[in-house]
């Protein structure tokens, strides 16, 4: 496991006008019942900020025109896959993810959210939650990253 690299990834903490954070309930069976913020791989040659906005748009239908960037991208957050998933996802190429996260204010309304904006939906439903509730909603192996994100971004919300 230690010989494998981390998958480059970008994520987005989207905050509404009531200072609540967007979370989507995962569709895939491995993570059923868990929630997460929009995130995904960085394509070759893509900048982390562009990847975070692309992932946000693919997973929520929310484009850059409906977001005001507040902070992010200065440091990365890493997590390792649990042993039972190692070699089973991402074609076995990665040990986990190294993520760049961004915080942004959503200027639209719930009517602007389209979980089917991309041909393969990631989320089956969404809700807005208190930032401090995020870690307990997340699949356990990603929880430490979410705790770090809350510590870094909560004061800015």
């Amino acid at each position: 496991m230690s010989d494998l690299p981390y998958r480059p990834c970008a994520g987005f903490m989207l905050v509404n006008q009531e200072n609540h954070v967007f979370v989507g309930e995962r569709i895939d069976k491995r993570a059923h019942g868990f929630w997460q913020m929009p995130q995904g791989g960085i394509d070759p040659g893509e900048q982390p900020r562009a990847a975070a906005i692309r992932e946000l748009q693919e997973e929520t239908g929310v484009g850059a025109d409906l977001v005001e960037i507040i902070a992010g991208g200065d440091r990365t957050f890493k997590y390792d896959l649990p042993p039972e998933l190692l070699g089973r996802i991402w074609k076995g190429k990665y040990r986990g993810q190294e993520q760049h996260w961004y915080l942004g204010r959503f200027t639209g309304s719930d009517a602007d959210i389209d979980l089917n904006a991309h041909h393969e939906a990631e989320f089956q439903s969404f809700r807005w939650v208190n930032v401090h509730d995020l870690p307990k909603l997340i699949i356990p192996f990603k929880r430490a990253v979410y705790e770090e994100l809350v510590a870094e971004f909560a004061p800015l919300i």
Side-chain angles (χ1 to χ4, degrees):
M1 178 170 158
S2 62
D3 293 339
L4 293 173
Y6 286 95
R7 178 179 183 240
C9 179
F12 208 96
M13 182 184 283
L14 186 67
V15 180
N16 67 10
Q17 299 304 316
E18 288 77 37
N19 294 326
H20 289 114
V21 177
F22 174 96
V23 290
E25 185 178 18
R26 301 276 313 175
I27 283 179
D28 62 77
K29 291 179 179 31
R30 286 188 305 256
H32 183 69
F34 290 106
W35 300 74
Q36 73 177 42
M37 294 182 288
Q39 58 101 73
I42 299 174
D43 293 335
E46 188 176 33
Q47 293 300 310
R49 181 178 168 143
I53 292 170
R54 176 183 51 76
E55 288 292 336
L56 177 67
Q57 184 160 17
E58 288 177 1
E59 296 180 8
T60 69
V62 174
D65 59 323
L66 294 176
V67 176
E68 296 170 357
I69 303 286
I70 297 169
D74 295 336
R75 71 182 188 103
T76 60
F77 301 83
K78 292 181 182 178
Y79 72 82
D80 290 331
L81 290 171
E84 65 272 14
L85 293 180
L86 195 61
R88 294 182 57 202
I89 61 175
W90 306 315
K91 300 178 183 175
K93 293 189 214 177
Y94 303 103
R95 68 187 285 179
Q97 293 196 100
E98 181 172 16
Q99 303 176 317
H100 297 262
W101 280 92
Y102 295 83
L103 170 65
R105 174 84 51 201
F106 180 45
T107 60
S109 70
D110 283 3
D112 296 311
I113 296 173
D114 178 6
L115 300 182
N116 295 304
H118 194 252
H119 69 281
E120 279 190 49
E122 298 263 342
F123 302 131
Q124 61 187 349
S125 63
F126 76 93
R127 65 184 185 178
W128 298 96
V129 301
N130 182 294
V131 67
H132 298 288
D133 292 335
L134 281 172
K136 65 184 171 195
L137 300 172
I138 306 309
I139 200 160
F141 65 88
K142 294 182 182 181
R143 212 163 271 159
V145 166
Y146 274 65
E147 289 168 350
E148 289 181 64
L149 286 169
V150 168
E152 184 160 323
F153 287 159
L156 304 174
I157 294 177

